[in-house]
Amino acid sequence: GEDVKPFTPEKTKEIVMSLQQPAVFCNMVGDWPALHWNVKYLSAVLEGKKIQFRLGLKTVDLVPQFETSCSYVEATLEEFLAWSCGQPSCLSGTFSCYDYSKYWAYADYKYIARIFEDKPEIFQDVRWSDFGFPGRSGKESTLWIGSEGANTPCHVDSYGCNLVLQVQGRKRWHLFPPADTSFLYPTRIPYEESSIFSKVNIANPDLKRFPKFRNSTAHVVTLSPGQVLLVPRHWWHYVESIDPVTVSINSWIELDADHEARVEEAITRMLVCAIKSAENPSDGDPWLNPTEVEATSHEINLQYLNKAVSAYLRCQEPSVSGQAPSSSSGAQHRTNSSCKRKRRDVGCEPESCTLLTQECDFPTPKAEELQKIPFGPHLIQVLPESHKTSMMGAVAVESGGGGDLLHENEGERFGKLHCKRKRLLMSNDCETAAHQMDSDCSPCTSQTALSTNDLLDCLLDPRVISLVAQLLLERMRV
């Protein structure tokens, strides 16, 4: 029957919490009502409600197209669907002045709890309890709706591991292991809490500027509807929609290691806000990602740091009963998962945000307790590729496939980004605005002096921040 799963919830959770490489779960969500969440269905549920879309150019360039260099429009899903399907411009609303052949649109990172707040019954359509997380539903998940070419720049999340359900269309994921961090040239500009971006355009790498990228190892997979991708902790990823319309749902799973990560993020926030706020605002550097409403003050950032350190130290204390911390999904725990990355998007303030003070959840299983990972037709590894292969091909996983190792080069060029540094939020200038570009976008532009961003790239390097956090925590233990 449809309710028969290849893995029990307990076994699935064990895999999720222990597997340190990306993998695709097949045949796990066949009875989920969320599989019916295509754009047409969601547009009917939202009943004309407008949501924000990010628009970018499909042209390929050497520079990643960060969110700070995109245009933004407010539109309904009906208008988005009309635009993406080539219907008359009178039906596409604010999309009408963007040529579909030149632009992609992405309604990314939409909290299901927020956009469906007046329809809470829909939360139960997403059943993460099948993966061993009882009580976790759509309320603790986010929704992503995009057109062909819509992409997320290569980045790594500071917190948790990630489960991603593909609902409509296909997405191509390029993943890189944590060991490749230095090869991906990490940067905190643009700054977004808990997101570390790569300066490399994965789709079209500038190997003159970033020669170490040659040493990176991509794991590439094309995710199809009904499949669930596990993105382990600290795996880099670049994601692109390859079908006309795509819908996916994800949820971040909290880990014990997140407590130290929050200390590192608090240090990063304090430094980047202090240094960039001191810079001449006339420089016009859009260093703050649109997801961050404003640069917080030194006083507020110090509160974040102290709360993060306190939470970390509290979780190092043995419990009274001597038992391991509970991994239950209580109300506080589920609220925290919604604050995973863009905490300001869900209204968390320093004095009330539980993200920095949650209890220790999901203890990592001991190595001797783990059984061999059951790779096969229901759990498929996302394999590493050679550098040449990763530039042009992908591993395609067919739903219900019959093998545990799949190699398939699709031979398609992917990733369509554009070099543009001016912040274009809620632009009404349509294509003219999206074509604006600074004169220094050329990768060959010579630098006669170090910039503030050059300093920050070194000062805020994940390895440096990790060392500072360890020293700070050692000081607090004394």
Side-chain angles (χ1 to χ4, degrees), residues 336-365:
N336 293 335
S337 68
S338 298
C339 292
K340 183 325 185 144
R341 266 184 26 172
K342 304 179 181 179
R343 58 176 173 231
R344 294 197 166 273
D345 191 45
V346 291
C348 293
E349 295 299 332
E351 63 273 14
S352 61
C353 184
T354 58
L355 176 141
L356 298 178
T357 59
Q358 68 179 47
E359 298 303 316
C360 295
D361 289 321
F362 299 120
T364 303

Side-chain angles (χ1 to χ4, degrees), residues 9 12-13 16 25 28-29 32 112 123-142 162-166 227-229 248-253 329:
T12 309
K13 180 178 178 181
V16 169
F25 288 93
M28 284 291 294
V29 297
W32 286 23
I112 293 175
F123 300 155
Q124 303 310 312
D125 287 2
V126 183
R127 302 172 178 175
W128 296 115
S129 56
D130 285 342
F131 284 75
F133 304 101
R136 186 180 293 258
S137 65
K139 188 176 182 181
E140 296 80 32
S141 307
T142 50
N162 192 3
L163 288 173
V164 186
L165 166 65
Q166 193 62 27
Q227 298 174 338
V228 176
L229 173 66
S248 54
I249 298 169
N250 88 293
S251 189
W252 281 275
I253 308 300
S329 298

Side-chain angles (χ1 to χ4, degrees), residues 200-313:
V200 182
N201 182 346
I202 304 303
N204 188 25
D206 185 346
L207 298 179
K208 290 184 178 180
R209 289 185 63 193
F210 309 114
K212 290 190 295 183
F213 182 69
R214 298 178 188 272
N215 301 322
S216 65
T217 303
H219 294 60
V220 188
V221 63
T222 298
L223 200 65
S224 298
Q227 298 174 338
V228 176
L229 173 66
L230 166 63
V231 182
R233 180 176 185 263
H234 285 180
W235 273 72
W236 293 80
H237 43 285
Y238 166 81
V239 190
E240 182 188 23
S241 298
I242 61 175
D243 282 331
V245 175
T246 63
V247 176
S248 54
I249 298 169
N250 88 293
S251 189
W252 281 275
I253 308 300
E254 298 81 4
L255 303 171
D256 278 345
D258 292 348
H259 294 287
E260 186 168 350
R262 290 189 182 96
V263 176
E264 296 173 1
E265 284 301 306
I267 295 170
T268 299
R269 173 177 282 273
M270 176 174 287
L271 292 175
V272 71
C273 287
I275 294 175
K276 290 300 289 187
S277 297
E279 201 171 41
N280 188 343
S282 64
D283 291 343
D285 178 18
W287 64 274
L288 199 63
N289 218 41
T291 53
E292 296 289 331
V293 178
E294 61 184 357
T296 43
S297 68
H298 181 78
E299 180 181 3
I300 289 177
N301 291 335
L302 190 60
Q303 291 180 34
Y304 279 128
L305 178 60
N306 277 284
K307 289 183 177 182
V309 170
S310 296
Y312 173 87
L313 295 176

Side-chain angles (χ1 to χ4, degrees), residues 458-469:
C458 298
L459 184 62
L460 302 180
D461 184 282
R463 295 167 296 182
V464 176
I465 293 297
S466 177
L467 177 59
V468 173

Side-chain angles (χ1 to χ4, degrees), residues 24-91:
V24 175
F25 288 93
C26 300
N27 309 311
M28 284 291 294
V29 297
D31 58 345
W32 286 23
L35 285 184
H36 301 294
W37 285 21
N38 56 37
V39 173
K40 186 176 181 180
Y41 171 81
L42 291 173
S43 65
V45 174
L46 287 174
E47 300 176 325
K49 182 178 182 179
K50 289 190 175 184
I51 56 178
Q52 188 181 74
F53 288 82
R54 175 165 57 97
L55 290 108
L57 280 166
K58 291 182 177 180
T59 51
V60 179
D61 211 323
L62 293 172
V63 180
Q65 189 170 8
F66 294 116
E67 293 177 52
T68 50
S69 57
C70 288
S71 298
Y72 291 78
V73 299
E74 296 277 345
T76 65
L77 284 182
E78 290 92 339
E79 292 168 337
F80 166 74
L81 199 57
W83 176 73
S84 61
C85 294
Q87 296 180 14
S89 59
C90 61
L91 301 176

